[in-house]
Amino acid sequence: YYEIMDNLIADHRAGEARKYLDIYKTLPAHRPFLVPVYDAYISLAEYDISRADDIMADALNSFSEESGFLFEYAQYHARKCDYEKAIEFYERSWASESQNKPRFTDALEAIAMIYEILGKNEMAVATYDRLIDCIKNEWGYKDDDAAVIIAERKKKALQSI
């Protein structure tokens, strides 16, 4: 359902996307915090930014302790190029996972990319340091593992700019 809705939203076929969201809501294994997220994205596809913002603000009140929602809230703001708010919520998502190790590094990767977009390469490098620390110390990767090599390569590319 995610892929179908994502593709319909990308094509601005909001009515069809809503039909699939209605079906998704009835599935026993659906993730409740994703319902307002997709509703907001559908509203964006309908060019109703204020409605989308209201949906996400209301959802934040309901799911403020849900790390998955915090990540999606950051994604929403990144999509709207509201980068400072996106970074804030990627950080909140990352922090909310501190008891659940090993943590996924998606939030850190997103933060590093945003800093790069903003031209804040030193901040991006520092974020890659955090990411590398996570994959080594929480996931157990070694210096010669692909995940470490790739992250180091991205970090070095930023340092050479």
Side-chain angles (χ1 to χ4, degrees):
Y1 285 88
Y2 303 134
E3 290 179 23
I4 292 169
M5 289 187 293
D6 289 339
N7 286 318
L8 291 169
I9 290 166
D11 289 341
H12 294 273
R13 293 163 59 186
E16 292 170 85
R18 278 199 197 287
K19 289 178 187 174
Y20 282 97
L21 180 58
D22 288 341
I23 295 168
Y24 172 75
K25 290 190 278 193
T26 67
L27 300 175
H30 85 280
R31 300 177 78 185
F33 73 83
L34 286 176
V35 173
V37 170
Y38 273 98
D39 193 17
Y41 285 140
I42 292 167
S43 293
L44 287 179
E46 296 170 325
Y47 305 103
D48 193 345
I49 296 168
S50 63
R51 182 173 186 278
D53 288 346
D54 289 345
I55 291 167
M56 291 303 283
D58 288 344
L60 181 59
N61 290 329
S62 299
F63 300 106
S64 63
E65 302 300 316
E66 177 88 41
S67 64
F69 177 78
L70 295 173
F71 182 84
E72 293 297 334
Y73 193 80
Q75 293 280 85
Y76 175 79
H77 286 286
R79 182 178 284 194
K80 290 179 52 187
C81 301
D82 184 356
Y83 294 132
E84 296 302 323
K85 189 154 220 153
I87 290 170
E88 173 190 346
F89 280 89
Y90 284 129
E91 290 287 3
R92 284 180 60 178
S93 173
W94 176 255
S96 73
E97 291 289 322
S98 63
Q99 302 302 314
N100 302 324
K101 294 184 181 179
R103 294 176 280 184
F104 291 106
T105 58
D106 300 53
L108 294 179
E109 184 79 32
I111 293 167
M113 284 190 268
I114 290 173
Y115 281 136
E116 185 176 0
I117 290 167
L118 296 174
K120 296 181 178 181
N121 291 350
E122 290 179 14
M123 299 292 289
V125 167
T127 305
Y128 275 114
D129 284 336
R130 293 169 58 200
L131 187 149
I132 292 164
D133 178 69
C134 175
I135 58 180
K136 284 182 173 181
N137 295 315
E138 293 183 25
W139 288 94
Y141 284 90
K142 306 294 181 216
D143 288 335
D144 59 345
D145 288 323
V148 176
I149 292 168
I150 291 167
E152 288 284 357
R153 196 175 293 153
K154 290 177 181 179
K155 176 183 158 184
K156 286 181 179 145
L158 289 166
Q159 289 172 318
S160 66
I161 296 175

